């Protein structure tokens, strides 16, 4: 591709509002640099559409550094595209070939209604976190680090779980639209640390209940969520969440 750009055919989902009927529309883009990021390519498309007097394609983005999780797109049927542990904004056009057709869709899940074009409402995640994702006890002044020893293994697992950026790729890639990987990461990052223990039982019960209330599907352990996650969150967190939930319900039944 040295010396010239690529010619691409883009099939993009267009939907004017949540209640409108959406459809794919086809666009052709010429001279796309292989060094562009995927979002920069969409920027070029939108500039072209604006010049033609057409409505630009709505898509979410913010940091463009793989941190915020806003750039959530299904690209040729894969969450965030073909690269592993990579967000859409980190995907570069060199992963595609001259003449390729690229299909671009929003997340597909009942709990993530489409707002417009490629933008979905992921506030269900916010509601799950808000019901039990915080440490609300009065912690007082910060203690010396040596006063709260945390095993290195637990610390690393907690930090790995905390790396979840809440993009929703796990939901979009799951055949059941399950949010178990997301919720389990939020449960694990506190359940593994001493600071999270006082509210551990109440937290996991409330978060799982809210997850079900939002309409997410059940986990059937196909591991597609882990494969699609740009942060590499492990499905072992789902097993931990299930253990925490069973322990919490058992203690509740026992009146502990």
């Amino acid at each position: 591709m040295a010396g010239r750009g690529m010619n691409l055919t883009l099939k993009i989902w267009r939907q004017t509002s949540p209640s409108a009927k959406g459809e794919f529309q086809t666009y052709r883009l010429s001279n796309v640099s292989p060094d562009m990021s995927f979002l920069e390519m969409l920027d070029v498309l939108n500039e072209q559409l604006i010049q033609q007097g057409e409505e630009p394609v709505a898509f979410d983005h913010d940091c463009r550094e793989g941190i915020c999780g806003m750039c959530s797109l299904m690209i040729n049927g894969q969450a965030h595209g073909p690269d592993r542990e990579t967000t859409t904004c980190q995907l570069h056009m060199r992963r595609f070939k001259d003449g390729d057709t690229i299909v671009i869709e929003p997340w597909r899940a009942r709990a993530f209604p489409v707002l417009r074009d490629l933008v979905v409402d992921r506030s269900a995640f916010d509601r799950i976190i808000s019901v039990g994702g915080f440490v609300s006890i009065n912690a007082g002044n910060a203690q010396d680090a040596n006063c709260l020893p945390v095993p290195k293994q637990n610390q690393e697992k907690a930090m790995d779980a905390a790396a979840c950026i809440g993009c929703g790729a796990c939901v979009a890639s799951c055949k059941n639209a399950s949010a178990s990987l997301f919720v389990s990461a939020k449960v694990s990052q506190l359940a593994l640390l001493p600071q999270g223990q006082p509210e551990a039982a109440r937290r996991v019960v409330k978060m799982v209940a809210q997850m079900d209330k939002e309409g997410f599907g059940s986990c059937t352990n196909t591991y597609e969520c882990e494969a699609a996650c740009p942060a590499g969150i492990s499905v072992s967190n789902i097993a931990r969440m299930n253990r925490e939930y069973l322990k919490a319900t058992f203690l509740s039944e026992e009146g502990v």
Side-chain angles (χ1 to χ4, degrees), residues 21-60:
K21 181 180 179 180
E23 62 179 4
F24 283 103
Q25 292 189 14
T26 302
Y27 304 95
R28 288 177 174 80
L29 208 55
S30 302
N31 199 32
V32 175
S33 169
D35 296 325
M36 284 182 180
S37 72
F38 200 87
L39 295 190
E40 287 173 332
M41 181 274 294
L42 290 179
D43 290 337
V44 171
L45 172 65
N46 278 343
E47 290 176 4
Q48 177 177 297
L49 292 176
I50 292 171
Q51 289 174 358
Q52 295 171 352
E54 300 179 37
E55 280 292 320
V57 177
F59 62 93
D60 265 334

Side-chain angles (χ1 to χ4, degrees), residues 5-248:
M6 297 180 289
N7 297 319
L8 301 172
T9 298
L10 307 175
K11 291 187 176 181
I12 301 178
W13 184 260
R14 302 303 305 266
Q15 185 172 334
T16 57
S17 69
S19 59
K21 181 180 179 180
E23 62 179 4
F24 283 103
Q25 292 189 14
T26 302
Y27 304 95
R28 288 177 174 80
L29 208 55
S30 302
N31 199 32
V32 175
S33 169
D35 296 325
M36 284 182 180
S37 72
F38 200 87
L39 295 190
E40 287 173 332
M41 181 274 294
L42 290 179
D43 290 337
V44 171
L45 172 65
N46 278 343
E47 290 176 4
Q48 177 177 297
L49 292 176
I50 292 171
Q51 289 174 358
Q52 295 171 352
E54 300 179 37
E55 280 292 320
V57 177
F59 62 93
D60 265 334
H61 61 93
D62 193 0
C63 73
R64 299 202 177 199
E65 294 180 348
I67 298 172
C68 70
M70 295 291 289
C71 59
S72 304
L73 300 177
M74 291 295 288
I75 302 169
N76 288 341
Q78 293 180 275
H80 292 294
D83 287 342
R84 289 184 64 87
E85 297 188 15
T86 300
T87 54
T88 299
C89 62
Q90 295 173 306
L91 179 67
H92 285 82
M93 298 312 297
R94 65 178 71 96
R95 292 290 280 114
F96 303 93
K97 298 178 181 178
D98 185 30
D100 275 357
T101 295
I102 305 175
V103 180
I104 309 171
E105 305 173 71
W107 287 165
R108 302 290 191 182
R110 183 161 61 96
F112 288 161
V114 176
L115 297 178
R116 182 179 176 187
D117 296 340
L118 304 175
V119 180
V120 300
D121 181 359
R122 288 173 293 177
S123 59
F125 273 8
D126 297 329
R127 290 189 290 272
I128 291 172
I129 292 177
S130 68
V131 298
F134 304 102
V135 177
S136 61
I137 59 172
N138 183 6
N141 295 328
Q143 297 183 24
D144 185 272
N146 293 328
C147 292
L148 288 173
V150 180
K152 186 175 186 295
Q153 184 180 19
N154 287 0
Q155 178 266 328
E156 290 179 345
K157 289 180 178 178
M159 292 300 293
D160 287 344
C164 171
I165 59 176
C167 68
C170 51
V171 175
S173 61
C174 177
K175 64 180 182 179
N176 306 322
S178 171
S180 292
L181 190 66
F182 165 78
V183 178
S184 67
K186 300 307 177 184
V187 167
S188 290
Q189 71 183 65
L190 293 175
L192 285 162
L193 300 175
Q195 294 89 339
Q197 295 309 307
E199 297 179 306
R202 182 172 63 178
R203 179 184 304 112
V204 68
V205 169
K206 293 180 71 175
M207 292 182 79
V208 169
Q210 187 67 33
M211 174 177 64
D212 293 340
K213 181 180 178 181
E214 296 292 344
F216 292 104
S218 299
C219 174
T220 52
N221 293 308
T222 60
Y223 293 10
E224 188 63 28
C225 54
E226 181 183 282
C229 178
I233 303 299
S234 171
V235 292
S236 64
N237 289 296
I238 298 177
R240 181 176 298 105
M241 177 182 72
N242 291 338
R243 291 195 300 270
E244 291 289 326
Y245 184 81
L246 288 173
K247 182 172 67 174

